[in-house]
Amino acid sequence: MNAAVQVFAGIAVLVHLLAFAWEVLLFERPGVHAGIFRIPAENLPATRLWSFNVGWYNLFLAAGPATGLVLLHTGDTAGGRVLLLYSCAFMTLTGIALGVSDLLALSRPRGAGRAGALAQALPPLAALVATAF
């Protein structure tokens, strides 16, 4: 597996770890809930469970390519490759789903999820594309 695939997969892992930190550990900070997620303080009680759940989801998403990278570098290249590619495909598709929900304005002001969708989908997509080179 070439270095570009591994770098983009690593970036995807970091993006999802950052999302975990924001959604689980730092969500109640105004710069996070209001600044990043555009959730007013009065809506914190109603959104805390959502945030906590989605944060863990992002942590578990990050575990896929991270484990794939470890397997690649410890001798199980076939298992590492499969896990890394599957996880990156999954991350790309969830980023697309977030982008679609933003376009349909399903849960918040339209445009609020665009940056998140791009951050979630582009690094793993780049990893998948880089496998062709």
Side-chain angles (χ1 to χ4, degrees):
M1 192 148 264
N2 69 49
V5 173
Q6 295 178 55
V7 167
F8 286 124
I11 292 169
V13 168
L14 294 175
V15 166
H16 285 78
L17 289 176
L18 180 61
F20 166 78
W22 283 340
E23 293 162 346
V24 173
L25 306 173
L26 305 171
F27 187 70
E28 293 182 8
R29 291 185 179 187
V32 176
H33 69 78
I36 296 169
F37 296 108
R38 298 183 186 176
I39 295 172
E42 60 270 12
N43 291 348
L44 279 177
T47 57
R48 187 67 182 118
L49 180 60
W50 157 83
S51 174
F52 188 81
N53 184 52
V54 173
W56 284 98
Y57 168 85
N58 279 307
L59 179 66
F60 298 141
L61 270 176
T67 304
L69 288 168
V70 169
L71 291 174
L72 279 173
H73 290 278
T74 57
D76 186 358
T77 54
R81 180 179 174 83
V82 168
L83 185 55
L84 191 122
L85 294 177
Y86 172 78
S87 299
C88 284
F90 194 99
M91 288 175 160
T92 300
L93 293 172
T94 57
I96 291 168
L98 178 58
V100 168
S101 71
D102 181 63
L103 285 174
L104 299 175
L106 294 178
S107 63
R108 55 185 162 211
R110 190 165 187 223
R114 190 169 302 137
L118 291 173
Q120 185 170 347
L122 289 181
L125 177 61
L128 294 172
V129 170
T131 60
F133 300 100

